[in-house]
């Protein structure tokens, strides 16, 4: 199993290019199931979760060809099977995104329930309730969701909690439903807007994406399209944090600063200098980092997917910072590993208090999920001596060659295979 070795203490310098967004590419790939025409997606990151989604689509009978450079030719000329099996769903819960499209196109879907994961219980009850409101009958049997509907009908769907993939599943299902669906308390993440942009290119009638009310008028059929996926805002934020913690000055290219408002504002508050261009950020680390509290929230708030990386930075800030995780109930698995490096962090319920600055020392660490792994790599950039991060497959799920990108900025990082 691959490991990453980091020797801390080198400031970063140079430029880094951001890849396409994993969390926009996953629903986009599922949206290709809504038509029998070809769909060409570009700027798709070549990360593990995307390959896994390729296998999920393959299991349904769709073809998915990955070209070098991040272009995917997808075509679901016909659907041979309507099942997302346990083995795939357990490795990647975003596989549940096939539920809406399959139900809409085939009238049937059988998707393994994903179960809990390293960051929380993460049920999909809200996806199921919404599809039931659209006329689907839903049964849970042997750990699988069995959903059926002759034809889905448009409905008023009011989400009691903001859910990103829930909003995406319903938007996709509604595209082929009979009549209008109104989604209230919809997620407003840029990935939702990107999915809507693709669906509209495919001929769907979607309005309001990016706001809490999304309206979709169902069509008889959708067609093919070409679409370039938005840049990954979490990868972008991770490089902002890397520069802030390692020191130095970098330029982050091919990103979308408009998608990172809360992140840019928060890092500026800590003293990081950030200059924004239309599709780039110049980041300069301060001499001393200020401690600032943060609370994760749905977009446009500070993203939960940046909480762990921000915590790594707060171990090097002067004073106490309170971090409150409001999205997932168990997203502090990185804390014990940061403590092993010398960090002073106390967790009570959903709140973590980080006191800094504490010198960190390199250690052998184990990653537990994608963003926790990124946090450990960042902490290692600031630590004295060598750190080995095990279970790099978590990183590879969502970051394209993060080791190479950091090395390109002058960090002492290598992958041990
Ligand atoms: N929730 C329910 N019931 C549901 C759906 C959600 O109770 O039916 C709860 C969840 O347990 C959680 C909250 O609602 O407490 C929000 O979860 P959401 O459904 O928004 O999360 P998700 O759609 O499963 C996506 C991203 C995550 C990201 C979250 C929050 C994808 C593929 N995944 O997950 O990304 O953390 O939104 O922004 O888009 C990552 O990339 O590392 C990652 C975990």
């Amino acid at each position: 199993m691959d490991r990453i070795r980091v020797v801390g203490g080198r400031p970063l310098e140079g430029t880094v290019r951001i890849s396409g967004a994993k969390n926009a590419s996953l629903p986009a790939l599922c949206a290709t199931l809504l038509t029998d025409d070809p769909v060409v997606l570009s700027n798709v990151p070549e990360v593990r979760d995307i390959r896994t989604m390729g296998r999920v689509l393959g299991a349904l009978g769709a073809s998915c060809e990955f070209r070098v450079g991040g272009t995917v030719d997808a075509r679901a000329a016909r659907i041979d099977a309507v099942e997302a099996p346990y083995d795939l769903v357990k490795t990647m819960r975003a596989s549940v995104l096939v539920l809406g499209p399959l139900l809409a196109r085939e009238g049937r879907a059988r998707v393994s329930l994903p179960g809990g994961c390293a960051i929380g219980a993460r049920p999909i009850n809200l996806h199921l309730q919404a599809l039931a409101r659209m006329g689907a009958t839903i049964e849970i049997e042997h750990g699988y969701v069995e959903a059926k509907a002759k034809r889905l009908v448009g409905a008023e769907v009011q989400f009691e909690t903001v859910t990103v993939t829930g909003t995406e599943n319903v938007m996709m299902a509604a595209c082929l439903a009979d009549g209008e669906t109104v989604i209230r308390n919809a997620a407003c993440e840029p990935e939702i807007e990107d999915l809507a942009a693709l669906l509209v290119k495919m001929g769907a009638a979607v309005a309001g994406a990016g706001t809490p009310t999304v309206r979709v008028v169902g069509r008889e059929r959708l067609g093919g399209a070409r679409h370039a996926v938005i840049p990954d805002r979490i990868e972008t934020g991770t490089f902002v944090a890397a520069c802030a913690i390692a020191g130095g000055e970098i330029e982050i290219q091919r990103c979308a600063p408009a998608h990172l408002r809360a992140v840019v504002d928060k890092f500026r508050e800590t003293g990081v200098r950030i200059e924004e261009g239309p599709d780039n950020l110049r980041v300069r680390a301060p001499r001393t980092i200020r401690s600032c509290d943060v609370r994760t929230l749905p977009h446009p708030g500070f993203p939960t997917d940046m909480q762990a990386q921000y915590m790594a930075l707060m171990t090097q800030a002067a004073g106490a910072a309170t971090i409150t995780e409001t999205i997932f109930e168990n997203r502090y698995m990185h804390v014990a590993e940061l403590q092993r490096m010398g960090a002073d962090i106390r967790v009570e319920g959903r709140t973590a208090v980080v006191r800094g600055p504490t010198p960190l020392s390199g250690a052998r660490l184990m990653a537990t999920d994608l963003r926790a792994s990124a946090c450990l790599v960042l902490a290692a950039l600031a630590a004295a001596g060598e750190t080995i991060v095990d279970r790099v497959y978590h990183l590879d799920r969502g970051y394209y060659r993060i080791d190479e990108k950091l090395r390109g900025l002058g960090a002492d990082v290598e992958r041990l295979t």
Side-chain angles (χ1 to χ4, degrees), residues 22-23 26 93-94 119 122-127 161-166 168 189 304-305 327-329 331 370-371:
K22 165 183 81 86
N23 288 348
L26 292 170
R93 44 182 310 114
I119 62 177
R122 305 184 73 184
I124 56 162
N125 58 316
L126 303 175
H127 303 222
T161 305
V162 175
T163 161
V164 176
T165 49
E168 291 163 350
E189 270 66 5
T304 172
D305 290 344
I327 309 293
F328 292 111
E329 67 275 17
R331 210 173 194 180
L370 171 56
R371 309 304 171 186

Side-chain angles (χ1 to χ4, degrees), residues 16-77:
V16 62
R17 278 186 180 174
I18 295 306
S19 302
K22 165 183 81 86
N23 288 348
S25 303
L26 292 170
L29 284 167
C30 294
T32 68
L33 294 171
L34 290 165
T35 175
D36 51 13
D37 287 343
V39 178
V40 182
L41 301 172
S42 55
N43 204 31
V44 175
E46 294 170 62
V47 297
R48 264 263 284 272
D49 274 7
I50 298 298
R51 293 275 171 189
T52 307
M53 190 57 93
R55 285 166 56 208
V56 175
L57 298 189
L60 304 173
S63 72
C64 212
E65 262 177 57
F66 293 86
R67 282 193 256 150
V68 185
T71 298
V72 179
D73 295 301
R75 182 160 198 190

